[in-house]
Amino acid sequence: MRAGFILGELGTGLRRNLSMAVSVILVTMISMYLLGLGLLAQRQVDTMKDYWYDRVQVSIFLCVDGSQYAACGGKATTSTQREQIKAQLEQMKPPVKDVFYESQAEAFKRFKEQFKNSPLAEQATERAFADSFRVSLTDAGKYDVIVSSFQGAPGVGRVQDQKQLLDRFFAFMNAVSWGAIALSALMVLCAILLMATTIRQTAFSRRRETGIMRLVGASNATIQLPFMLETLVSSLVGATLAMGLLWATVRYGVGGYLSKALVDTAFIGMTDVIAVAPWVVGGVAFVAVLTSWATLRRYLRV
């Protein structure tokens, strides 16, 4: 009887305050979607770090005629110097994992392919590129070993570490993910305020029924539970819709479009959405119950 009464009150309350319930659902959905995006963005950064740091290469660019690097002196690297650099790299295994030589023509061809849709590809000439050694490391953190050995060496123009470029990119991605989380926190605050307002209005509209329940000896829990359940149900519906949006984003956006456009990059998957789900749904339930309890303690008076 008590369970049936509470469920009946829950249904009646949701019908009476349908517009406010829909507002809570929508605000919760948007805030939790943004929070989920922020959490997934962080997981994407971690996934890309694991993927790319294992493939980080150090590039040792050699000298070409007219090079502006001080170590080159305007002269191109000789074949003897080139062979000495290669032999020294081969002797450094480990931490050197693999060594690949890329000629000036190959560097120019790769640039033309990468920037085929850019005006840069039409303006570039082969003389603007230098041949280089691409060095794969067993540990990306051992970049300093290569720098100390080859920076300023005869025939070496400069040494470039891809990890430094990736670090700047990942720092930007982290900033974006934290920005999404901060925006979601603002939306959560809006959801909390909307929940509190909804409960206040609902409690005021039912003050007569509440008074009667008090007179017949109903406990505080019996009176407050329908209000809390209304807020909880609306919030959980919003969180469920948010998870649906996150699933669609990862399934069709990341897994469908990005994974096909960027085939050489590791992306998050549905397991990451499942991992984020308890935090999103559990967080919504906690906020809804806590907001309901605090609001009812203050405003539910007879």
Side-chain angles (χ1 to χ4, degrees):
M1 290 291 292
R2 179 174 294 181
F5 170 76
I6 291 175
L7 291 176
E9 287 293 305
L10 172 61
T12 301
L14 290 174
R15 286 194 300 271
R16 285 180 178 178
N17 301 281
L18 182 60
S19 60
M20 294 299 291
V22 171
S23 299
V24 171
I25 290 172
L26 293 177
V27 173
T28 303
M29 178 185 70
I30 295 172
S31 60
M32 291 301 101
Y33 178 64
L34 291 173
L35 176 62
L37 283 180
L39 295 175
L40 288 176
Q42 289 189 327
R43 296 179 73 90
Q44 177 61 48
V45 169
D46 292 338
T47 299
M48 292 178 71
K49 280 182 178 179
D50 293 339
Y51 179 84
W52 283 111
Y53 281 170
D54 288 341
R55 292 161 175 77
V56 161
Q57 291 182 340
V58 176
S59 298
I60 301 176
F61 291 97
L62 306 183
C63 299
V64 294
D65 289 328
S67 176
Q68 300 299 314
Y69 297 112
C72 296
K75 298 180 180 179
T77 302
T78 64
S79 58
T80 302
Q81 290 173 333
R82 187 179 297 107
E83 292 300 322
Q84 288 177 344
I85 294 171
K86 182 178 180 181
Q88 186 175 350
L89 286 170
E90 294 291 344
Q91 293 173 1
M92 295 177 70
K93 295 182 177 180
V96 172
K97 183 179 179 181
D98 292 301
V99 180
F100 307 93
Y101 174 73
E102 183 179 64
S103 67
Q104 192 175 29
E106 290 171 339
F108 178 63
K109 181 180 178 181
R110 181 166 59 87
F111 175 83
K112 295 278 286 185
E113 292 176 352
Q114 291 178 339
F115 292 86
K116 59 184 178 181
N117 297 320
S118 171
L120 293 174
E122 300 177 0
Q123 302 172 5
T125 60
E126 184 175 321
R127 293 186 58 187
F129 295 84
D131 52 341
S132 63
F133 286 101
R134 308 281 178 172
V135 183
S136 298
L137 304 177
T138 55
D139 183 356
K142 299 293 182 63
Y143 158 71
D144 290 341
V145 175
I146 305 298
V147 174
S148 60
S149 300
F150 293 97
Q151 188 69 59
V156 176
R158 66 187 175 100
V159 182
Q160 183 185 66
D161 180 23
Q162 292 179 348
K163 184 176 182 295
Q164 293 180 331
L165 302 177
L166 290 174
D167 283 342
R168 288 196 290 268
F169 170 73
F170 291 139
F172 170 75
M173 288 290 293
N174 273 322
V176 171
S177 65
W178 281 112
I181 292 176
L183 183 59
S184 70
L186 180 61
M187 293 299 298
V188 168
L189 177 61
C190 294
I192 291 173
L193 295 175
L194 183 57
M195 290 177 195
T197 302
T198 302
I199 294 171
R200 288 175 59 185
Q201 290 187 352
T202 304
F204 180 79
S205 66
R206 296 191 217 166
R207 63 191 183 280
R208 188 175 215 177
E209 293 93 328
T210 302
I212 295 173
M213 293 174 67
R214 291 283 193 193
L215 291 175
V216 299
S219 65
N220 287 334
T222 302
I223 296 173
Q224 293 177 3
L225 192 55
F227 296 96
M228 299 178 68
L229 288 177
E230 288 175 30
T231 306
L232 181 60
V233 168
S234 299
S235 301
L236 289 179
V237 170
T240 302
L241 292 175
M243 292 310 305
L245 289 175
L246 289 174
W247 177 86
T249 300
V250 174
R251 173 67 177 82
Y252 298 105
V254 177
Y257 176 75
L258 288 180
S259 61
K260 293 179 181 178
L262 303 172
V263 294
D264 58 345
T265 302
F267 289 103
I268 56 175
M270 301 313 302
T271 55
D272 295 282
V273 178
I274 295 173
V276 166
W279 295 97
V280 174
V281 178
V284 165
F286 175 77
V287 169
V289 171
L290 183 62
T291 302
S292 302
W293 176 80
T295 305
L296 290 170
R297 277 180 59 88
R298 181 173 181 181
Y299 293 107
L300 188 60
R301 295 287 186 270
V302 180

